[in-house]
Amino acid sequence: ERHKRFGSHVYLLEPNIKESRGGLRDLQAMLWASKVLYDLGDLKSMEDSGLLSPGERKKLDEAWDTLIQVRNQLHFLSGRKNDRLFFEYQEELATKNHGANTDKRQAIENFMRKIHGQLKTIAVASDLFFEHVDDTLHLSPKGEDRPLERGIEVVNGKIQITEPDILTSRPYYLMKIFQHAAQQGLPVHHRTKRLITSSLSLINKKLRSSLRMSKAFLEVLDAKNNPFPVLEAMADTGLLAAYMPEFEKITSLVQHDVYHSFTVDQHSLQTVQELHVLREQEKKIFDSLTSPRLLFLAGLLHDIGKGYGGGHAMKGAKLTEEIGKRMGLTSEDMETLSFLVRHHLFLVDTAMRRDLEDEALILKCARIIQNHERLNMLYLLSIADSRATGPSVWTEWKAALLLELYLKIAHLLERSDLIDPDRVKAVRWMKDQITGLIGAENNALLDIMPEDYLLSFTPEAVAEHLRLRKKLDRQLFMMIPEDRQLFWSVLVMAKDRPGLLARIFGVLALHNLEVLAAQIFTLKDGTALDVFEVRSSLNKTYMEQDWDAIKHDMDLAIADRLALSYRLASKQSPLSRHTGKVCLTPNSEVVIDNDTSDFYTLVEVYVKDKRGLLFDITKTLTDFGLNIFRAKIGTRADQVVDVFYVLDRWKQKITEPEFQEELKKALIYAAGCPVGMA
């Protein structure tokens, strides 16, 4: 009951060091039960009686000392009883325990890695102790008994090594025991777990390259029963890191941001579990895979590079080549595994930050991925990785964008020659459909429509836009909101002018509307036609939103009668969907990319979110005379990622190095970060 209230695992990024699993209360519970049941009053007497090994007792003493010290410091910092290590206290405690460090994020991650390691020490010892209590008191109903193979049996419903000496002659049994646990859907007995931990010295270079070990390990990953408890037990015994030393680097490693819910090792195990959920939810795609084991292995290893510094995807890809070689994978399988790890962020990053109507972009994606097998694996891995990161990361909006990108790439991969779709034919077809809706007498209106606009909407939507366009001559602007359930679509139509987009973003921010994406077009007659996908940052429903007030303020802003900078600065921050977490301010960054698009410069802005951010950024772009043609709004860890497709006033890309540098500094400043701190 306590674990349910305060946290049932040790991987929470803001753990309660007293009450959650692995906390001080678990250690006290062990001591109390030991005193009542066996008249053993302390850890030393538990060691002398054989309930703890000398190594376990030493580790528990260290964990106890560390958590007591940190708890005292936490109470002092809080000025009250507080046992939860909130983000806001972690930086100061890290400095107190590890000294001043110029890299504050690194100091916190090192400090929290130590804390999670101590919590895990107590949790594992507590689990083993209470399993022993359960056995000696016969608290659980008796389970089945049956042999599985020589030296391995099911005893009272648990997998057990019944001939401990067999490990000396058959050390691959260390992995075999977990293979049986996964296949049978049964837990490993606590005495066998202890035996495995005490036998890890048997794992050497030769055993890591044993085909028997790799076969058993891959069968654990691919087991029809949920392998998550088995993988967790394998990690708790130390076998996973001993078999795969690269995994040790991410054990208890913390990612200090508000989006990751777990340590890196736990996130990796969760990703494998999510892939098994997708095995049923995306059955058609999963059944098409020729080697699902490779996908599960990629799920386990996709973040393995995070233990080796920045650029974790590239570093992880190189590490997986070595791991695959040891496991005896074919060169083709190793290439696929390395590809999945190297590109595990590719689909999500593209879907969230790039214009999915850009045919050249889709073609580049198809050429990188090359075949349907890789696309299917990458799609499933992207979903599992996002879901395993945390509840705020995988949204219906992201799912829709990722599916759209997946389907577009899949369609293109059906063309073996990877030739661009016939754009001319597509435009002609669109015009024919629209003519049928608006009548041939209005065909002249089609001449003002750019091709990229025509290919971005349905014929019915374009026909409706043209109908609204006729009304625009009699009014300053038009705004049409529409409820799409998952989000709201807001169409704004007005005569184009410098700073129009900044004014629109400013009004949306003023009314607590979070922009998910923006499609920005200027028709050939000078009409701006912009479509924004938005949702309420206050969790309001469509009906609760005051659309009339938004239209009123939009009218004032476009007519230069609303002081948006003043209004946004004086407005109090709302209680948004991201409350309750404090984290380090991430480094701000602006990237200017002239390679991704054949026609536009991409300006990517990575900053911490704030009210009116899009208004400040687009106002700055306008000050430089830049025209914005597309905008993609997304997140990366605890940062906002805003991507703008732009050209200068002469419709050229931004190529001058001095101009690029000036633009970067101005955008960093607009985002509220001192330029020297970027």
Side-chain angles (χ1 to χ4, degrees):
E1 289 300 315
R2 173 166 53 81
H3 287 170
K4 285 179 185 177
R5 286 180 60 202
F6 294 101
S8 58
H9 54 74
V10 303
Y11 307 99
L12 292 171
L13 298 193
E14 295 180 312
N16 185 308
I17 61 171
K18 179 184 176 184
E19 303 287 0
S20 62
R21 181 166 179 254
L24 290 164
R25 188 65 85 202
D26 275 1
L27 187 53
Q28 291 169 332
M30 280 177 62
L31 290 168
W32 295 337
S34 178
K35 178 66 176 174
V36 171
L37 297 173
Y38 311 118
D39 198 28
L40 303 172
D42 54 29
L43 294 177
K44 183 66 171 66
S45 58
M46 291 175 71
E47 177 193 347
D48 293 340
S49 70
L51 280 175
L52 294 174
S53 70
E56 287 173 322
R57 199 267 298 175
K58 183 180 178 182
K59 286 184 177 179
L60 284 172
D61 274 335
E62 291 174 358
W64 197 347
D65 286 346
T66 298
L67 295 187
I68 284 289
Q69 180 185 8
V70 169
R71 185 175 183 237
N72 287 341
Q73 292 172 340
L74 190 58
H75 286 193
F76 181 78
L77 280 178
S78 306
R80 60 183 175 83
K81 181 184 180 298
N82 170 39
D83 298 320
R84 188 169 176 193
L85 259 174
F86 289 106
F87 279 133
E88 61 193 282
Y89 299 120
Q90 290 177 16
E91 180 178 344
E92 189 163 351
L93 286 174
T95 302
K96 282 181 178 293
N97 287 275
H98 290 274
N101 192 321
T102 52
D103 187 345
K104 291 181 180 179
R105 182 180 291 265
Q106 187 64 45
I108 292 175
E109 290 177 354
N110 289 339
F111 169 67
M112 290 306 297
R113 185 175 194 181
K114 180 180 180 180
I115 295 299
H116 283 289
Q118 306 292 28
L119 292 170
K120 185 174 180 180
T121 292
I122 294 174
V124 171
S126 172
D127 288 348
L128 293 174
F129 172 79
F130 282 107
E131 283 180 36
H132 172 78
V133 170
D134 188 74
D135 269 3
T136 56
L137 298 185
H138 308 292
L139 297 176
S140 298
K142 183 168 175 56
E144 60 176 329
D145 293 347
R146 55 188 167 89
L148 295 173
E149 61 178 292
R150 183 191 162 188
I152 300 179
E153 297 180 15
V154 176
V155 179
N156 197 21
K158 295 181 179 179
I159 310 288
Q160 190 168 343
I161 293 179
T162 52
E163 298 179 30
D165 292 342
I166 204 169
L167 290 178
T168 305
S169 58
R170 302 181 185 183
Y172 63 88
Y173 264 40
L174 289 168
M175 190 66 73
K176 193 82 173 172
I177 194 80
F178 290 105
Q179 178 188 353
H180 282 297
Q183 289 172 341
Q184 303 296 325
L186 295 173
V188 177
H189 194 276
H190 67 91
R191 278 197 293 271
T192 297
K193 288 180 185 176
R194 275 204 166 95
L195 175 63
I196 290 169
T197 299
S198 65
S199 304
L200 293 179
S201 59
L202 294 172
I203 299 181
N204 53 27
K205 186 176 180 180
K206 181 180 177 181
L207 190 61
R208 291 188 188 102
S209 300
S210 162
L211 293 180
R212 283 173 167 167
M213 287 283 282
S214 66
K215 182 176 183 293
F217 181 61
L218 290 172
E219 288 193 8
V220 169
L221 291 176
D222 195 19
K224 298 302 180 193
N225 295 305
N226 178 15
F228 181 76
V230 179
L231 287 170
E232 212 169 28
M234 197 185 296
D236 288 346
T237 60
L239 178 65
L240 186 57
Y243 173 59
M244 204 174 283
E246 296 86 352
F247 205 82
E248 177 63 33
K249 290 274 192 179
I250 62 171
T251 299
S252 298
L253 183 62
V254 170
Q255 300 171 90
H256 193 76
D257 59 57
V258 299
Y259 287 91
H260 290 88
S261 296
F262 308 108
T263 52
V264 180
D265 54 334
Q266 181 72 4
H267 165 73
S268 301
L269 302 187
Q270 294 277 1
T271 301
V272 176
Q273 183 177 34
E274 291 294 345
L275 285 170
H276 276 269
V277 173
L278 288 170
R279 191 175 216 161
E280 298 302 319
Q281 292 180 348
E282 297 287 350
K283 187 171 174 53
K284 185 176 180 182
I285 296 177
F286 226 104
D287 288 347
S288 72
L289 301 181
T290 56
S291 183
R293 289 182 180 184
L294 271 184
L295 177 58
F296 292 126
L297 186 57
L300 182 70
L301 300 178
H302 73 282
D303 277 347
I304 199 77
K306 285 188 173 177
Y308 296 81
H312 78 279
M314 292 297 294
K315 290 178 179 177
K318 290 182 180 178
L319 291 168
T320 53
E321 290 175 6
E322 293 300 316
I323 294 170
K325 194 179 298 181
R326 289 201 306 265
M327 296 181 72
L329 300 182
T330 66
S331 57
E332 184 180 352
D333 283 350
M334 281 195 294
E335 187 180 340
T336 299
L337 179 64
S338 177
F339 170 85
L340 292 173
V341 173
R342 182 182 299 110
H343 294 288
H344 71 272
L345 299 172
F346 177 70
L347 288 183
V348 170
D349 283 353
T350 301
M352 298 301 292
R353 304 179 198 172
R354 297 292 181 257
D355 176 15
L356 300 188
E357 302 303 325
D358 184 343
E359 296 162 7
L361 171 72
I362 305 301
L363 178 63
K364 288 177 184 176
C365 293
R367 284 177 173 161
I368 289 171
I369 294 172
Q370 296 184 353
N371 58 59
H372 280 286
E373 176 87 354
R374 283 185 172 185
L375 175 63
N376 288 338
M377 283 188 171
L378 207 54
Y379 178 62
L380 294 169
L381 180 58
S382 300
I383 297 174
D385 183 21
S386 294
R387 286 182 178 180
T389 299
S392 63
V393 174
W394 184 245
T395 63
E396 292 171 317
W397 171 253
K398 182 182 283 188
L401 289 178
L402 190 62
L403 178 60
E404 180 184 351
L405 176 61
Y406 166 77
L407 292 174
K408 286 185 173 182
I409 296 173
H411 176 71
L412 200 54
L413 285 173
E414 292 173 4
R415 303 277 301 273
S416 60
D417 53 355
L418 293 182
I419 297 176
D420 283 302
D422 191 337
R423 183 182 180 92
V424 175
K425 185 185 293 185
V427 171
R428 188 183 304 122
W429 180 87
M430 278 292 295
K431 288 185 175 181
D432 289 343
Q433 297 298 308
I434 296 165
T435 297
L437 294 170
I438 66 174
E441 66 276 10
N442 293 306
N443 264 0
L445 287 171
L446 294 177
D447 294 335
I448 69 171
M449 302 294 177
E451 286 186 356
D452 57 346
Y453 163 76
L454 287 172
L455 296 176
S456 298
F457 296 96
T458 65
E460 292 76 15
V462 173
E464 176 64 13
H465 293 168
L466 289 174
R467 185 183 67 80
L468 294 171
R469 166 67 189 80
K470 287 184 177 181
K471 295 182 178 180
L472 191 61
D473 293 332
R474 301 190 299 272
Q475 55 195 86
L476 186 63
F477 85 106
M478 303 190 66
M479 185 186 117
I480 312 294
E482 182 181 351
D483 189 1
R484 299 283 184 84
Q485 295 184 330
L486 303 183
F487 55 91
W488 310 329
S489 181
V490 178
L491 167 69
V492 178
M493 198 180 293
K495 287 295 181 183
D496 200 12
R497 54 177 296 184
L500 175 64
L501 187 61
R503 289 172 171 82
I504 295 171
F505 278 136
V507 173
L508 295 177
L510 198 60
H511 289 270
N512 305 315
L513 290 178
E514 181 182 347
V515 180
L516 302 170
Q519 290 178 284
I520 300 157
F521 302 97
T522 302
L523 308 186
K524 293 177 183 178
D525 68 345
T527 301
L529 195 156
D530 302 332
V531 178
F532 305 93
E533 316 298 354
V534 303
R535 64 185 174 192
S536 169
S537 60
L538 299 180
N539 294 319
K540 286 186 176 181
T541 65
Y542 179 83
M543 297 302 293
E544 290 171 335
Q545 192 69 46
D546 191 343
W547 295 106
D548 288 337
I550 297 173
K551 287 180 181 179
H552 177 263
D553 284 349
M554 194 77 74
D555 190 21
L556 293 175
I558 292 176
D560 297 328
R561 296 293 184 271
L562 192 67
L564 281 168
S565 297
Y566 163 74
R567 288 288 193 97
L568 289 168
S570 60
K571 184 178 172 66
Q572 290 184 348
S573 296
L575 294 172
S576 73
R577 63 183 75 242
H578 302 307
T579 58
K581 298 255 187 169
V582 179
C583 65
L584 287 177
T585 302
N587 290 331
S588 300
E589 182 184 15
V590 174
V591 176
I592 295 180
D593 174 5
N594 280 310
D595 298 323
T596 298
S597 172
D598 294 336
F599 306 104
Y600 304 106
T601 292
L602 273 64
V603 179
E604 303 183 21
V605 184
Y606 300 84
V607 292
K608 188 177 180 182
D609 199 8
K610 66 167 188 172
R611 173 178 294 286
L613 177 64
L614 284 170
F615 168 72
D616 291 333
I617 291 174
T618 49
K619 185 174 181 296
T620 301
L621 293 174
T622 301
D623 290 343
F624 280 101
L626 298 178
N627 294 307
I628 304 169
F629 294 86
R630 293 284 189 281
K632 296 286 286 188
I633 317 300
T635 57
R636 180 185 71 176
D638 46 358
Q639 288 180 310
V640 170
V641 183
D642 296 332
V643 183
F644 302 91
Y645 287 64
V646 305
L647 293 175
D648 65 19
R649 65 173 73 251
W650 297 280
K651 297 188 177 179
Q652 300 295 314
K653 286 188 173 184
I654 305 169
T655 56
E656 300 171 35
E658 289 184 7
F659 183 20
Q660 290 182 355
E661 192 61 29
E662 189 72 11
L663 178 59
K664 287 180 181 180
K665 290 178 179 177
L667 288 170
I668 291 291
Y669 179 77
C673 175
V675 176
M677 297 293 291

